[in-house]
Amino acid sequence: MNKSEKNILQPKMAVEVAGLRLKNPVMPASGTFGYGEEYAPYIDLNQLGAVVTKGMSLNPKAGNNTPRICETVSGMLNAIGLQNVGVDAFIKNKMAYLQQYETPVIVNFFGSTQDEYGEVAARLDDVPGVAALEMNISCPNVKHGGIIFGTDPEAAFAAVSLVRKRTNKPLIVKLTPNVTDIQVTARAAEDAGADALSLINTLTGMAVDVKTRKPRLANTIGGLSGPAIRPIAVRLVHQVVQAVQVPVIGIGGISRAMDALEFLIVGAKAVQVGTANFVDPNAMATILAGLEEFCRDEGIADINDLIGSLEL
Amino acid sequence: MKNFKTIILSNQEISPGYYRMKILAPGYNELARPGQFVMFRVQRSLPPLLRRPFGIFRAGFLPADCESMPPKEFIEIIYKVVGSGTEIMQGLHHGDPVELLGPLGSGFDPGTPEEEKILVGGGIGLAPLYMLAEKMVEKSKVRLLMGGRSRDDIITVTEFERLGVETYVSTEDGSLGEEGLVTRVLERKLDKYPKASVFACGPMPMIEAVQKICLERGTSLQVSLEALMACGVGACLGCVVKGEGHTEVDPRYLCTCTSGPVFKAEELNWNKAAINGVESGGCK
Ligand SMILES: Cc1cc2nc3c(=O)[nH]c(=O)nc-3n(C[C@H](O)[C@H](O)[C@H](O)COP(=O)(O)OP(=O)(O)OC[C@H]3O[C@@H](n4cnc5c(N)ncnc54)[C@H](O)[C@@H]3O)c2cc1C
Ligand SMILES: Cc1cc2nc3c(=O)[nH]c(=O)nc-3n(C[C@H](O)[C@H](O)[C@H](O)COP(=O)(O)O)c2cc1C
Ligand code: FES
């Protein structure tokens, strides 16, 4: 195709993920956009492909001691400890606000046992306005010595299978990058019935204050996010796209349209923007505009033509 | 509250290591309340990555460039150079592009006009107290107790005086004003004006000492806290402090950025180490 011959005024941006039709492929990453409301003064939530909420657990969770965050080179460490209001309070107090928007709401959730995962999913199952569930499996399994569900393919398979039985909503499983072979966990989640996979969650990291000789985070270890992790995330998305049939959502260090494009080109159907929201609350709108501009410049009529167009 | 791209009008060193930056800020005279802050984007390229929070020192108007134009609105922030972000800031000049997200957070509650007001500022902690003084001096007697390590840490006191605020300076090394801690001055003033209400901002050890004094005397106290912040809008939950009644089993975290940065003393949990660990050398 000779791109200069085509004159594209309004490239098509809609994508389909896990049976959801999104008006564009850009959405926030869980935990970086609150419950949506926090950013509504700065960005039109109706512009977004979807809204992804802070991770929910069965009971309210207090989170970790402070300091909880720390800037590192081109990134940040966080150990928030999944502080949240609990799934029932979320349904009661936070959903109504989000329902005034036409944007699909994806609710991120987690558990510390397999049953807890199942129970949270079940409670969200008949909640109107919840378009899909995103299951965060980067959590310790308290019944099994605290091994992270997402690093143990069998535990991941079992937990996802159970959640699958307890919800009819589209199920996105969010993978941790802290594994030796992500293709194994990706396949386990797919085999257990995930409709889509999202990745990456944060990479574990640590920073030390050399003067006090203390860790910079009260929790000692935290999750690294931001531009620093992008090349790792792109690589992992590329590998997962090769390994599974279900759609993949790319996450990790996206702050500009060019960054999002890398993920789309390696085959992600959509992207999530995390840390960049903190830097610029309007980041997702800028990314979206940049994607459209790129499509126009390159003569791409439909963003889907770009997805998975990696030349090897 | 909104985010907008703007420019620096001036940026000057006012004392060794302390700078005063004037930023074009349309709407802020109307919007900003005493005690609020902005998330300042140091520059548009990396590093640093995250915005930095700064209290609004003052809002004002500059004469317009020409007659047909409205006067220019600005805010001023006062900052101390402590790390990578503020190091970059000190090198910025008139016309340099920056971004402001704000005004953010709860402000001070000025209380009733008939009470006497005592402001306690420790070093750079003085910054958010100026707008409050501006607001209160019209109707109330306002006294400022300003403390610092040495004379270099005593900033903008004359401006408070110009507002009509009675000021008392103390330094730990005695290089300016009375020698010793600002809390000693506070105790003396409270002996004399036991009904006064207190507004404090400064390093955590100072705030804790002020809280102790006020608690013992039943004095009403509002404090402005600092915390490491990523978003400034209540989304990341990085900036929390422990609220009143907080326990391990029944945790009550409050966001410094949205529930604060100004808190009534009774809203917080004052058990040792309950407060955000900035003073222990945390980072962003
Ligand atoms: C609501 C609020 C209002 C503030 N107002 C002012 C103000 O008016 N003037 C001013 O100079 N500073 C103010 N601060 C502190 C200011 O945000 C930090 O000094 C600044 O972010 C440091 O950035 P840096 O990149 O230079 O330092 P970094 O390299 O990030 O850190 C250097 C050192 O500064 C400390 N530090 C970093 N961030 C903070 C923080 N948010 N609070 C306290 N200490 C920190 C770190 O523990 C570290 O020891 C305020 C903070 C808050 C939360
Ligand atoms: C402060 C913070 C809180 C987060 N909370 C969650 C969470 O509750 N659930 C989750 O699945 N991921 C959470 N994440 C991970 C992000 O959703 C995202 O996967 C990660 O930050 C990488 O993207 P980024 O580099 O664009 O930030 C959090 C990240 C940050 C920085
Ligand atoms: S700074 Fe993000 S919640 Fe307060």
Side-chain angles (χ1 to χ4, degrees), chain A residues 173-254:
Chain A
V173 175
K174 183 166 176 179
L175 303 180
T176 167
N178 304 306
V179 292
T180 314
D181 185 352
I182 200 161
Q183 293 184 323
V184 176
T185 33
R187 282 196 209 99
E190 181 182 43
D191 292 346
D195 299 304
L197 303 177
S198 60
L199 63 144
I200 59 176
N201 211 317
T202 53
L203 287 148
T204 45
M206 179 172 169
V208 176
D209 182 323
V210 296
K211 289 227 178 90
T212 62
R213 304 195 189 180
K214 287 184 182 164
R216 286 200 182 263
L217 298 176
N219 191 53
T220 306
I221 287 172
L224 183 65
S225 65
I229 70 169
R230 198 180 68 241
I232 302 171
V234 172
R235 186 262 295 179
L236 289 165
V237 168
H238 170 65
Q239 288 178 320
V240 168
V241 167
Q242 308 298 309
V244 299
Q245 305 299 314
V246 292
V248 171
I249 301 173
I251 321 167
I254 298 173

Side-chain angles (χ1 to χ4, degrees), chain A residues 77-234:
Chain A
L77 287 168
N78 89 79
I80 305 299
L82 296 166
Q83 179 180 337
N84 77 90
V85 297
V87 68
D88 293 333
F90 168 77
I91 294 167
K92 198 159 152 260
N93 305 326
K94 307 283 181 187
M95 265 317 287
Y97 177 84
L98 286 169
Q99 275 184 272
Q100 25 161 354
Y101 295 93
E102 56 197 44
T103 306
V105 177
I106 299 175
V107 179
N108 182 288
F109 72 103
F110 65 94
S112 49
T113 63
Q114 203 175 295
D115 293 336
E116 199 181 320
Y117 271 107
E119 188 55 35
V120 186
R123 293 206 191 174
L124 288 162
D125 190 41
D126 52 4
V127 176
V130 175
L133 303 184
E134 182 179 55
M135 178 177 176
N136 174 5
I137 56 169
S138 307
C139 302
N141 184 345
V142 293
K143 287 234 174 99
H144 288 271
I147 297 171
I148 311 291
F149 281 98
T151 61
D152 175 353
E154 278 168 35
F157 179 85
V160 176
S161 301
L162 180 79
V163 166
R164 179 71 287 172
K165 288 199 194 85
R166 303 206 55 185
T167 182
N168 292 313
K169 304 258 192 215
L171 177 63
I172 303 162
V173 175
K174 183 166 176 179
L175 303 180
T176 167
N178 304 306
V179 292
T180 314
D181 185 352
I182 200 161
Q183 293 184 323
V184 176
T185 33
R187 282 196 209 99
E190 181 182 43
D191 292 346
D195 299 304
L197 303 177
S198 60
L199 63 144
I200 59 176
N201 211 317
T202 53
L203 287 148
T204 45
M206 179 172 169
V208 176
D209 182 323
V210 296
K211 289 227 178 90
T212 62
R213 304 195 189 180
K214 287 184 182 164
R216 286 200 182 263
L217 298 176
N219 191 53
T220 306
I221 287 172
L224 183 65
S225 65
I229 70 169
R230 198 180 68 241
I232 302 171
V234 172

Side-chain angles (χ1 to χ4, degrees), chain A residues 71 209 216, chain B residues 35 37 48 51-56 77-87 124 127-128 224-229 256 261 277-284:
Chain A
E71 181 164 334
D209 182 323
R216 286 200 182 263
Chain B
F37 68 101
R51 288 170 187 250
R52 301 294 193 252
F54 294 97
I56 300 170
I77 59 173
I78 300 216
Y79 62 95
K80 184 176 177 184
V81 178
V82 296
S84 58
T86 43
E87 261 162 36
I124 192 68
S224 176
L225 297 185
E226 291 190 356
L228 301 168
M229 292 184 175
T256 305
V278 172
E279 76 286 2
S280 60
C283 67
K284 271 288 100 43

Side-chain angles (χ1 to χ4, degrees), chain A residues 69, chain B residues 39 228-240 255-258:
Chain A
I69 51 173
Chain B
M39 291 295 278
L228 301 168
M229 292 184 175
C231 71
V233 300
C236 75
L237 307 180
C239 67
V240 296
C255 281
T256 305
C257 65
T258 48

